[in-house]
Amino acid sequence: MTAATMDHTGHGHDGHSHGGHGHDSHVHDGHGHYPGVPSYSHIMPLWILFAVFASLIALTALTVALSGVALGTAEIFVSMGIATIKALLVAVYFMHMRHDKPLNVLICTFSLVFVALFIGLLVFDSMEYYPNIAARTYVEMLDKAK
Amino acid sequence: MATIVENPSLTGGSPGAEPVVDNYLTFTRGWKSWAFTLDHKRIGVMYLFATLGAFFVGGVMALLLRSELFFPGQQFLSPDMYNHMFTLHGAVMTFLFIIPGIPAAQGNFVLPIMLGAKDVAFPRMNLGSFYLWIFGAIYLVAAIIFGGLDTGWTFYTPYSTTTNTSVILATTGVFILGFSSIFTGLNFIVTIHTMRPPGMTWFRMPLFLWATYATAIIQVLATPVLGITLLLLIAERAVGIGIFQPELGGDPVLFQHFFWFYSHPAVYIMILPAMGVISELISTFSRKHIFGYRFIAYSSIAIALLGFLVWGHHMFTSGQSAVSATMFSFLTFSVSIPSAIKVFNWLATMYKGSISFATPMVYALSFIFLFSIGGLTGLFLGALSVDIHLHDTYFVVAHFHYVMMGGTLIAFLGGLTYWWPKMTGRMYDEFSSQMAAIGVFIGFNLTFFPQFVMGARGMPRRYADYLPEYEFYHQLSTIGAFVLGVALVAAVGILVKSLWTGPKAPANPWGSATLEWQCSSPPPHDNFATTPEVGDPYAVESVKWSDSEHGYVKNPSYVPSKDH
Amino acid sequence: MSTADVVSPVTAPGEHHAHSGDGHDHGHGHQPHLAHHFESYEQQFDAGKLGIWLFLVTEVLFFSGLFCAYVVYRVLYPELFAFGHLFLNKELGAINTVVLLVSSLTMALAVRAAQLGQRQVLISMLVVTIACAFVFMGIKYVEYTTKFREGLFPARYFAPTPEALLHAAHMIHDAQSHGSAGHSAGAHDDHAADTSHGHDAKAGDHAHEEVNKNGLTAAEQAMVDSVKVPPNAGLFFSIYYCLTGLHGIHIIAGIAAISWILVRSIKGHFTPLYFGPVEYVGLYWHLVDLIWIYLFPLLYLIH
Ligand code: HEM
Ligand SMILES: [Cu+2]
C-alpha cells in the first residue's frame, strides 16, 4: 500500500514512532510491530502461540490425570478451574483479547455476567422449589419401594 | 413497493416539476433493484410493508376473536378454532409485527441518516435479516395450513409437547425470526459504535438512537436464549428428550424460566424503540429542547439491563419458589423507575412549549396516556398477592395491550406519520389523519378498558365462552375493536392516498433538528451529498419556518450554545 | 517522507493492485475489498471485529441454555451424571480435545500469516485446521455410532445393552477397588467402545462356559444385575446429545466458514491491510474450541 493509503486509514503516526526499526523486518519487541502492518493488526509472536499451545496440552493432560483421583466435592471446582484457565489462555492469546479494544473485552465479560445471572437465578429457583414437587417425591417413593 | 417505484408522480417526473433529483426510490429501477438492494432505506421500506401486512393479518384474526365473543356461547368459531385463532393472533403480532416493527422498519430507514452515516455497518446482513423475516413468516403460515397451532404464543410445555398441532413448524418459524431480530440488533450496535461521523458524539445522538441501541443490547443478549429454548422444544417433540417432561425426569417450569428469560426482556425490545420515537416527537412538536436528555438516554440503558432481572413475575403462580417470587416482585417494582423517569421528562419537555397538535403529536400524547395506564397496571400485576387473583385474567390481557398496542403500535404510527414525508417525499392530509389518530385513541380505550374491569372481576383469558355477567364488557370491547379497526385502516389509507395526491414534502416539514431532516425528502441514495453538520439534535431554534419552502430551513441567526 | 518505505507493500503473492501511488485518498475506487460505506480499512476492520464479538456473545448465550439445563439437572440428580458418564469414552474425548487444540493453534497461525501477508503459510494452516475439524467429526461419528449400538439413546429410548451394562459394571467395580488416590487414569477404564476385544482374554477363558441369551456367562450376568440403573438415566444422554450435537453443528459450520476463507486466500484476497475475514472466522473457531474445553470435563470426567 502506498503512503497515501496509510494516511487515509489514519495511521500516519506509525511511520514516525516506529520509523527507527521499521526497516529491519525481523526485529520485534513483543508488541508485534512489523513493517507494512497497520496498527490495528497485532501480530502474536510465534513463541507465545506455541507456549500457549503447550500449556493447553499440559492442562488437558492434568485434568485427565486428576479425573482418576478421588477428589470428592472439590472435583468439580478443580476441573472447572482448569477448564477456565484453558479458556482464558485461548481467549487472551489465540483470540488476541490481550491486544483487543477494551470494548470488545467488556462485551465478552458482560455476556458472561448475563450467563451467570441466567444460570444462577434459575438453578437457585429449581433447588428452592424442588422439595415442593409432589411428583418427584412420588418417583423417589416408587424407587425406594423397588 | 413496485407501485412506488413505477409511480411517475413520485419520482419528480410529473409535468412542470423541477428536473429529476436523485433519490433512493429512483436511484435504480426494477424489482431486482429492490429484492437485492443493500440500501438500508429500501430495506426499511420493505420491512415496513411486510410488518404492516403482518399487522393486518393479525388484526383480522383479532376482529374474528372479538366477534365470536360478542355473545356468550358459540357463534361461528368452535372452541378449538378459537384456540388456534388467539394463538396465531398472538404469535403473528408479537414476532412478525411488534418486535421488528419499529427497529427493523423505521429504525433501518432513519438510523444511519440520523447518525450521519452512509449505511448500516453490514448491509448484506441487513438484507439477510429481512429475508429471514420472510422465511420465518412462511413457516408460520405453513403452520397455519398444516394443522394450525393452539398452544398460545408462549408455547408452554407440557401442552406444547402433547398437542397434535404443528408446533414444530411454528417454533422453527419463530426461531428463524429470532435470528432476523438478532441480526438487526447486532447491525445497529456496530453501526452506532463504529460509523459515527466526526462530531457525532454519544451525547449528540438523538434519543431514538439511544433507544434502538438499548433495544439492540437486549436483542443480542436475550434472543439466543429463545433460540435454544425453541430448539429444545423441537427436540422434545421430535424425539422426547425429556428435559421439560416430568415423566422423564424433566421439569416444565424450566421451560417457563427459559421462555421468560427471553420474553420479558423482549417486551422491552417492543417498548424501548417506541419510547425513542416519542422522545423525538415530543421535543419537535413542543418546539422545545428535550428536557433531561441524559436521564432519558441512561434510562433506556437501565431499562434494558434491569429488564433481565424480572422475568419471574410471569411465573408467580407456576410453582416457582416463594423466595424467588418475592425477589422478582421486588425487582419488578424497581424496573418501573426508569420508565417513569422518561414520562416525567416528556411532560417537562412539553411544559411551556408551543405545542402543535400535528398527527404525530396526537399519537405521542396518546402514547403517554396509554403507556402510563399500561405501566401502572403492570405494578398491580407485579404485586404478589394481587397477581394471584389477576393472573391469567383479562386484566393481564388489558395490561399488555395497553403497553404493546397503546405503547408500541401508537408510537409506530407516530413514527410513521412523522417520517412518512421523509420516506416518500409526500405530505398527507393533516386534518383527516388527526381525526384518524383520535379515532384510534377512542377505539383503543373502548376495546381494552372494559377488559380491565372484567379481568378484575374474574373473567379468565383464552376462553371461547363466558358467563352472562361479562356480556356487557365483552360487547363494549368488541364494538371498540371495530372502531379501532376502522380508524387504523383510515390512518393507513390516508397515508397511502398521499402517494398520489399529496403535495411534495419539504426537507424539514416539522422543524426538527436531527440530521435526517437535513437531507432532501426522499433522501438521496447516499443519504448526504456532503457530510452533514452535526449539532445539538434538539436545538429546535436552529431551524425556522420558511414560507417559500413550505418547511423549515436553517436559522441564520442561530448560535449554538456551549452547554449542549 | 519515510512513511513510503515503512509501509512497504507486504501484499500476498498473486495480489495485483492497480495502484500507481496517487489518487487513493479520494474515495476508494482503487482499494480492493473496502466497502463503499466505510471510510477506511481500519473502520471496516473495527466494525467487523465488533460484529463478530457480538455474534460470539449470541453464541455464548445460545449455549448457555444447554449449560443451564446441565447444571440444573446435575444439581438435582447428581447420580444420573455419575452413572451416565460411565458409558462415555474418556480416551476419545481426550483425543478430540487435543485435536481441537491443535486446530486452534493452526487457526491462530493462519491469522498471523494473513496479517503478515504470507499466503502460502496461510493456506497450509487453514488446510490443517479443516483437516483437524474432520478428524474431530470422525471421532464423534465413532462415538455416536457406538452409543447407538449400545442402546444409549436419550430419555424415553434409553435401553443399554447387556454389554454396555457389563462394561459399566466393570468400571464401577474398578472404581471401588482402586478408587484411592494414585490410581493412574485410564488404566482400568477400558470402554464400552472396546468391550468386544477388551474382554477377549476373559472370553477365551470362559469359552467353554455356557452363555445365556444375553451372551453373558453367569458371573457376568451377576455383575450386570448388580448395576443399579437410576430412574430417568436417559436424561443424561439427552443432555449429552444436545450439547455435543449442537457443538458438532458448530464444527460443521466452522468447516464451511474456513473453507470459504481458504478459497479466498487461494484467490489472494487477503493483504496485511485486509485480513478481517480470516480473523473473524478464527475467533469463531476458537469459541467452538472454548466450548469444547468445558464440555470435555463436564461430560467425560465426572465422578
Ligand atoms: C412498566 C412496567 C411493567 C410491569 C411492572 C409489568 C408487569 C407485568 C406482570 C407482573 C405481568 C404478568 C401478569 C400475569 O401473567 O399474571 C405482565 C404481563 C405482560 N406484560 Fe407487562 N409489565 C410492564 C411493562 C410491560 C411492557 C412495556 C410490555 C410490552 C410492551 C409488557 C408486556 C406484557 C405482556 C405481553 C404480558 C403477558 C404475557 C402473557 O402471559 O402472555 N409489559 N406484565
Ligand atoms: Cu414481564
Side-chain angles (χ1 to χ4, degrees):
Chain A
M1 282 293 142
T2 62
T5 322
M6 283 309 287
D7 283 333
H8 188 71
T9 60
H11 294 288
H13 69 275
D14 270 16
H16 303 293
S17 48
H18 301 295
H21 60 166
H23 291 280
D24 40 0
S25 55
H26 297 293
V27 171
H28 55 76
D29 50 13
H31 293 286
H33 290 291
Y34 289 77
V37 168
S39 76
Y40 57 83
S41 156
H42 285 281
I43 314 271
M44 272 290 163
L46 281 177
W47 72 266
I48 290 195
L49 294 180
F50 283 106
V52 166
F53 175 70
S55 326
L56 287 169
I57 296 292
L59 286 167
T60 307
L62 177 67
T63 192
V64 171
L66 284 177
S67 78
V69 182
L71 294 171
T73 46
E75 180 248 332
I76 183 76
F77 297 102
V78 172
S79 69
M80 285 300 97
I82 295 177
T84 303
I85 297 173
K86 288 166 71 180
L88 281 175
L89 283 174
V90 171
V92 172
Y93 294 102
F94 284 180
M95 298 173 90
H96 295 184
M97 237 186 199
R98 193 167 157 205
H99 296 293
D100 213 328
K101 288 197 153 44
L103 176 71
N104 294 342
V105 181
L106 190 77
I107 286 174
C108 292
T109 328
F110 207 65
S111 73
L112 294 180
V113 172
F114 278 85
V115 171
L117 185 87
F118 174 44
I119 299 186
L121 277 177
L122 217 153
V123 172
F124 167 78
D125 188 46
S126 300
M127 286 167 74
E128 277 294 318
Y129 68 70
Y130 181 75
N132 304 340
I133 298 174
R136 290 239 168 88
T137 10
Y138 181 65
V139 170
E140 272 155 24
M141 226 169 63
L142 287 183
D143 192 37
K144 288 213 183 78
K146 260 186 210 164
Chain B
M1 288 152 278
T3 25
I4 297 185
V5 189
E6 274 135 36
N7 175 10
S9 67
L10 244 192
T11 61
S14 52
E18 327 82 81
V20 178
V21 209
D22 157 50
N23 73 50
Y24 80 101
L25 294 167
T26 54
F27 182 70
T28 46
R29 278 162 187 283
W31 69 270
K32 275 192 189 151
S33 76
W34 282 83
F36 300 112
T37 184
L38 297 181
D39 180 354
H40 68 97
K41 297 182 286 302
R42 286 188 169 195
I43 296 173
V45 169
M46 294 198 293
Y47 250 126
L48 185 66
F49 277 81
T51 49
L52 275 175
F55 179 63
F56 183 76
V57 172
V60 169
M61 291 176 184
L63 288 180
L64 289 174
L65 291 167
R66 284 306 332 160
S67 309
E68 166 62 35
L69 293 171
F70 196 73
F71 297 112
Q74 181 177 333
Q75 316 329 308
F76 55 95
L77 282 179
S78 68
D80 221 28
M81 277 306 291
Y82 184 89
N83 291 350
H84 284 250
M85 202 60 93
F86 80 69
T87 299
L88 288 163
H89 161 73
V92 166
M93 286 298 197
T94 312
F95 297 114
L96 289 178
F97 174 65
I98 295 257
I99 288 180
I102 296 184
Q106 300 177 10
N108 245 326
F109 191 94
V110 294
L111 181 136
I113 318 185
M114 275 185 151
L115 204 59
K118 284 188 196 143
D119 208 320
V120 292
F122 309 119
R124 269 193 210 94
M125 185 192 271
N126 203 13
L127 185 66
S129 150
F130 175 69
Y131 281 110
L132 284 179
W133 186 96
I134 297 279
F135 281 124
I138 290 175
Y139 269 93
L140 278 187
V141 172
I144 300 180
I145 296 169
F146 301 105
L149 183 71
D150 65 352
T151 60
W153 75 282
T154 46
F155 300 111
Y156 274 9
T157 54
Y159 185 64
S160 57
T161 53
T162 48
T163 169
N164 50 18
T165 53
S166 18
V167 176
I168 293 189
L169 275 178
T171 39
T172 312
V174 174
F175 180 83
I176 295 173
L177 289 169
F179 274 90
S180 158
S181 170
I182 289 177
F183 285 166
T184 304
L186 198 158
N187 226 331
F188 286 179
I189 295 186
V190 177
T191 308
I192 290 177
H193 268 286
T194 61
M195 310 281 286
R196 278 175 290 126
M200 179 57 86
T201 58
W202 281 90
F203 292 106
R204 274 187 179 169
M205 285 196 327
L207 289 164
F208 180 67
L209 297 189
W210 276 94
T212 37
Y213 181 78
T215 309
I217 294 178
I218 312 178
Q219 285 174 306
V220 166
L221 282 174
T223 319
V225 177
L226 175 73
I228 194 68
T229 310
L230 297 176
L231 275 193
L232 284 174
L233 179 57
I234 292 172
E236 192 75 82
R237 264 188 88 86
V239 284
I241 54 172
I243 288 180
F244 301 133
Q245 264 167 291
E247 72 271 28
L248 297 173
D251 181 358
V253 178
L254 200 63
F255 178 86
Q256 297 192 21
H257 269 304
F258 275 41
F259 183 82
W260 290 112
F261 183 83
Y262 162 75
S263 288
H264 182 79
V267 308
Y268 293 107
I269 297 180
M270 306 170 197
I271 199 70
L272 276 171
M275 293 168 152
V277 171
I278 299 304
S279 301
E280 303 302 322
L281 300 185
I282 296 283
S283 164
T284 297
F285 293 98
S286 304
R287 293 219 51 70
K288 246 187 91 199
H289 194 281
I290 192 89
F291 184 86
Y293 173 93
R294 285 192 185 218
F295 277 102
I296 300 183
Y298 285 137
S299 67
S300 290
I301 307 291
I303 290 178
L305 301 183
L306 284 175
F308 278 92
L309 301 176
V310 302
W311 81 82
H313 66 212
H314 295 272
M315 301 169 57
F316 287 155
T317 61
S318 70
Q320 186 191 46
S321 65
V323 200
S324 347
T326 315
M327 187 183 65
F328 279 126
S329 173
F330 176 78
L331 289 167
T332 298
F333 289 118
S334 68
V335 79
S336 59
I337 297 171
S339 312
I341 288 180
K342 287 189 192 270
V343 174
F344 293 140
N345 281 300
W346 294 326
L347 295 180
T349 306
M350 282 158 56
Y351 179 65
K352 288 193 171 163
S354 59
I355 295 172
S356 115
F357 291 99
T359 312
M361 187 61 167
V362 177
Y363 285 119
L365 295 175
S366 309
F367 174 96
I368 296 185
F369 183 81
L370 301 175
F371 176 74
S372 300
I373 295 183
L376 289 173
T377 52
L379 292 180
F380 293 30
L381 296 170
L384 279 176
S385 51
V386 183
D387 187 61
I388 302 299
H389 174 62
L390 294 177
H391 176 68
D392 266 354
T393 66
Y394 264 72
F395 193 91
V396 176
V397 177
H399 155 71
F400 67 72
H401 280 90
Y402 264 81
V403 274
M404 288 163 84
M405 217 179 162
T408 310
L409 172 76
I410 295 282
F412 176 90
L413 291 171
L416 187 62
T417 45
Y418 177 60
W419 284 306
W420 185 262
K422 182 58 61 185
M423 290 178 171
T424 63
R426 295 286 155 171
M427 296 303 288
Y428 49 85
D429 183 61
E430 189 55 55
F431 179 73
S432 53
S433 70
Q434 276 164 327
M435 288 305 111
I438 292 171
V440 169
F441 179 78
I442 294 171
F444 177 86
N445 282 296
L446 191 54
T447 312
F448 293 106
F449 203 81
Q451 299 190 356
F452 278 128
V453 182
M454 63 175 141
R457 295 181 174 207
M459 171 73 211
R461 71 191 277 204
R462 294 179 172 172
Y463 274 56
D465 195 5
Y466 53 85
L467 297 175
E469 61 190 274
Y470 299 114
E471 187 172 2
F472 173 65
Y473 305 108
H474 274 296
Q475 291 186 343
L476 279 186
S477 185
T478 303
I479 295 168
F482 279 93
V483 174
L484 181 57
V486 169
L488 284 171
V489 169
V492 174
I494 290 160
L495 291 180
V496 173
K497 180 167 161 277
S498 76
L499 292 179
W500 283 272
T501 61
K504 269 199 160 11
N508 189 353
W510 314 118
S512 323
T514 44
L515 290 185
E516 79 271 29
W517 304 104
Q518 280 189 24
C519 63
S520 53
S521 300
H525 175 70
D526 276 332
N527 297 347
F528 299 98
T530 52
T531 313
E533 242 175 79
V534 181
D536 177 355
Y538 296 105
V540 285
E541 331 73 82
S542 68
V543 290
K544 68 174 190 19
W545 179 259
S546 145
D547 276 335
S548 62
E549 290 286 321
H550 289 290
Y552 286 78
V553 292
K554 264 214 162 51
N555 181 357
S557 57
Y558 166 71
V559 212
S561 70
K562 279 279 158 279
D563 39 292
H564 288 307
Chain C
M1 183 181 153
S2 69
T3 328
D5 320 311
V6 176
V7 287
S8 58
V10 196
T11 45
E15 251 324 296
H16 302 293
H17 297 312
H19 39 59
S20 50
D22 56 355
H24 289 298
D25 37 357
H26 304 298
H28 29 258
H30 295 286
Q31 297 181 13
H33 306 299
L34 180 57
H36 85 284
H37 58 294
F38 290 114
E39 294 296 326
S40 66
Y41 280 111
E42 185 183 17
Q43 190 190 29
Q44 173 167 305
F45 178 79
D46 284 348
K49 190 122 179 211
L50 180 58
I52 192 73
W53 274 117
L54 286 168
F55 177 71
L56 297 190
V57 165
T58 67
E59 288 285 5
V60 167
L61 277 135
F62 197 61
F63 272 95
S64 77
L66 290 178
F67 280 106
C68 189
Y70 176 97
V71 179
V72 167
Y73 289 122
R74 178 145 184 203
V75 167
L76 297 184
Y77 309 117
E79 70 284 0
L80 289 191
F81 289 75
F83 176 76
H85 107 283
L86 297 175
F87 298 91
L88 298 191
N89 189 328
K90 195 155 62 170
E91 282 79 32
L92 289 186
I95 293 171
N96 253 351
T97 308
V98 173
V99 169
L100 273 196
L101 290 176
V102 171
S103 78
S104 254
L105 173 68
T106 53
M107 193 70 224
L109 291 173
V111 172
R112 188 176 187 276
Q115 289 173 312
L116 293 173
Q118 301 162 341
R119 196 171 70 127
Q120 279 315 323
V121 184
L122 169 60
I123 291 173
S124 42
M125 284 302 120
L126 290 177
V127 170
V128 179
T129 311
I130 295 177
C132 285
F134 273 106
V135 172
F136 182 91
M137 288 312 289
I139 293 180
K140 267 264 94 76
Y141 175 78
V142 171
E143 282 192 80
Y144 269 33
T145 45
T146 316
K147 300 264 155 347
F148 294 159
R149 221 177 27 243
E150 294 178 340
L152 303 172
F153 293 109
R156 198 191 299 289
Y157 307 101
F158 180 73
T161 57
E163 292 83 51
L165 284 175
L166 178 63
H167 163 72
H170 279 295
M171 289 210 28
I172 296 170
H173 176 77
D174 288 352
Q176 275 162 1
S177 48
H178 306 276
S180 54
H183 158 62
S184 84
H188 286 274
D189 40 2
D190 33 1
H191 281 271
D194 33 59
T195 24
S196 46
H197 45 90
H199 296 286
D200 267 358
K202 223 176 281 170
D205 288 349
H206 303 292
H208 55 281
E209 265 185 43
E210 232 174 275
V211 292
N212 64 10
K213 64 180 189 326
N214 292 333
L216 302 177
T217 64
E220 285 170 337
Q221 186 64 48
M223 273 193 96
V224 168
D225 291 342
S226 75
V227 177
K228 195 169 166 302
V229 181
N232 302 321
L235 201 56
F236 173 83
F237 283 94
S238 297
I239 293 174
Y240 166 82
Y241 285 117
C242 286
L243 275 168
T244 54
L246 193 65
H247 181 260
I249 291 172
H250 279 80
I251 298 269
I252 294 171
I255 293 178
I258 301 170
S259 308
W260 169 64
I261 290 300
L262 179 61
V263 170
R264 291 193 65 184
S265 9
I266 292 170
K267 288 188 186 159
H269 284 185
F270 301 118
T271 65
L273 281 181
Y274 176 75
F275 61 93
V278 186
E279 167 114 14
Y280 311 149
V281 170
L283 285 172
Y284 168 81
W285 189 251
H286 294 309
L287 183 85
V288 174
D289 181 24
L290 237 159
I291 288 169
W292 184 259
I293 286 179
Y294 281 98
L295 288 189
F296 174 55
L298 283 178
L299 293 171
Y300 292 79
L301 305 180
I302 312 171
H303 271 294

